[in-house]
Every structure is written in C-alpha cells, then in structure tokens.
Amino acid sequence: QQQVKQSPQSLIVQKGGISIINCAYENTAFDYFPWYQQFPGKGPALLIAIRPDVSEKKEGRFTISFNKSAKQFSLHIMDSQPGDSATYFCAASKPRDSWGKFQFGAGTQVVVTP
Amino acid sequence: DAGITQSPRYKITETGRQVTLMCHQTWSHSYMFWYRQDLGHGLRLIYYSAAADITDKGEVPDGYVVSRSKTENFPLTLESATRSQTSVYFCASSESAGLQETQYFGPGTRLLVL
C-alpha cells in the first residue's frame, strides 16, 4: 500500500509548455516533501523540497505547490525544456523518524518534445 | 570526489543463486539505504542502516540480507535469487536523519534473474 500516490504515470509536453505532477498523501505526520529527478541510467537526485509551513516554493523553473488541508502537493515545471525529460518522484518523510526514511510515489515519466 | 558507487552495474544470474550487490560511499555518511525500483511501484525501501552494525528492515525485506561492518560499505545480498527480484537496485546515503536531510543515490545496479 503506497502512502504517497503520484499522478500521472507519464506526461508528454511540448517545449515551452507547463508540466504538472500531482501527489497525495494520507499520513498527517509527514512533514517534509522532496521531489527527486531521475535521468535514464542514473540514480535519482534531489530537485526541490518543501515543508508544510509554506504553500509554495520556487527554484528557477520548478515550483512546488502545497495544500495542507487537501493533503496534496504538486510540481510545476514552467517553460519545459527537452533537458527536463526525466522521471520525477515525489516523496514524504516524518519528522520523528530518526532513520530519515522516505516514502516515494510511483514516479512520473516526463517527455518534453522539441 | 567519488561519492557513492555501486557494483556491479549490470548482473545476470539464475534462480536460486546467491548474489551480492555492493555499495560504497566516500562521504562518511552515517545513514545508508537500499531501494528497488520497479515500474508502477517507484522506489521501495529494502533495508536501511544508521551506522556500522545498525541495520533494520524496510518495506520489502524478504529474500534480502544486509551487513554494515564499515561505515562506507553497505552490501545487499540476495540469498537465493528469484525472478521477482529482477529489478534496478539503488543504494543511497545521507549525512544524518534530521529533518530535510537529502539522500544521495548511487547509479544503480540492473539485476536480471533468469
């Protein structure tokens, strides 16, 4: 049973368009929500992260929107570029989890066409 | 700066054989993790470790064994490989387990069990 549900499974967007990936969670104890980016043949790498005390965080073309009451958060990729083609994973962790474990979503494969 | 490495990168084995996947990090990170990545399931935690000789089970530990005699190494052993263990395996490490701690992933090992 996945504690973090991610959608869509795949996404095709034209260059310059906006990519939107959504995640939902049930456990209100989650207190940290990172997004990881994975290129083919590589390991995932941290892209951007947010805590629930803010509703939005922006880093360059990447923005996380967080809705605590709905227990949802999303990643927006503005002005999508072919180099953004990758698999994106949302994740969540609990503050009292002394082991630093993450619960990952199933991943979204994003393809940006030229 | 080698970071975190995994070996082998690719492995083909037969059902019933024992297989060991190696993970080595040069940062002296305390925490290390093993994940498997399967389509539709994202990243699922197999085992994790907080320090040398301290390990615990994750979400999908059955059929796997880990050890951590040295901080920098965290090998994962499949005691008797099964076809369901065909997957991509990622090792990760983090400096600590505090809030907002980044996990750094290795390049992965692709394992095929025939």
Side-chain angles (χ1 to χ4, degrees):
Chain A
Q1 181 185 359
Q2 241 167 355
Q3 295 191 38
V4 179
K5 296 185 178 180
Q6 183 172 346
S7 63
Q9 185 173 2
S10 62
L11 180 61
I12 300 174
V13 62
Q14 284 190 332
K15 179 181 176 181
I18 301 173
S19 303
I20 302 174
I21 306 169
N22 300 301
C23 285
Y25 63 98
E26 288 297 324
N27 192 336
T28 55
F30 287 141
D31 198 37
Y32 175 59
F33 302 89
W35 284 88
Y36 278 74
Q37 180 188 51
Q38 182 184 28
F39 293 108
K42 304 291 186 182
L46 179 65
L47 179 64
I48 187 172
I50 197 169
R51 290 193 62 195
D53 52 353
V54 297
S55 60
E56 186 175 282
K57 183 173 182 180
K58 184 176 180 180
E59 289 185 4
R61 296 182 294 105
F62 299 91
T63 299
I64 300 177
S65 297
F66 189 85
N67 186 331
K68 188 174 182 179
S69 61
K71 292 184 286 185
Q72 295 176 348
F73 58 109
S74 60
L75 177 69
H76 295 234
I77 307 174
M78 312 300 288
D79 186 26
S80 296
Q81 299 297 311
D84 298 331
S85 296
T87 299
Y88 294 81
F89 293 96
C90 62
S93 68
K94 305 173 192 177
R96 290 185 174 80
D97 189 331
S98 61
W99 292 83
K101 294 180 293 181
F102 291 162
Q103 290 290 333
F104 282 93
T108 297
Q109 185 175 19
V110 174
V111 175
V112 182
T113 59
Chain B
D1 185 3
I4 184 165
T5 57
Q6 294 183 236
S7 62
R9 294 294 313 278
Y10 304 91
K11 177 72 176 179
I12 300 174
T13 190
E14 295 178 339
T15 301
R17 291 190 179 269
Q18 184 180 78
V19 177
T20 296
L21 309 184
M22 304 302 294
C23 178
H24 176 79
Q25 51 106 353
T26 60
W27 295 308
S28 298
H29 283 174
S30 297
Y31 292 83
M32 297 188 74
F33 310 84
W34 272 107
Y35 294 91
R36 59 177 291 173
Q37 183 177 9
D38 305 287
L39 190 64
H41 292 280
L43 294 157
R44 292 182 292 175
L45 184 64
I46 305 171
Y47 267 95
Y48 52 99
S49 171
D53 298 322
I54 302 177
T55 62
D56 205 352
K57 297 178 180 179
E59 183 184 352
V60 288
D62 293 344
Y64 303 96
V65 174
V66 293
S67 63
R68 195 165 176 208
S69 57
K70 294 183 178 181
T71 300
E72 60 267 30
N73 297 323
F74 191 37
L76 176 73
T77 298
L78 287 67
E79 295 184 294
S80 178
T82 64
R83 289 179 181 163
S84 65
Q85 292 178 310
T86 292
S87 186
V88 182
Y89 291 85
F90 287 99
C91 178
S93 71
S94 65
E95 187 171 2
S96 67
L99 195 60
Q100 305 180 29
E101 195 59 51
T102 300
Q103 289 189 15
Y104 298 89
F105 284 78
T109 294
R110 288 184 176 273
L111 177 67
L112 174 62
V113 183
L114 300 174

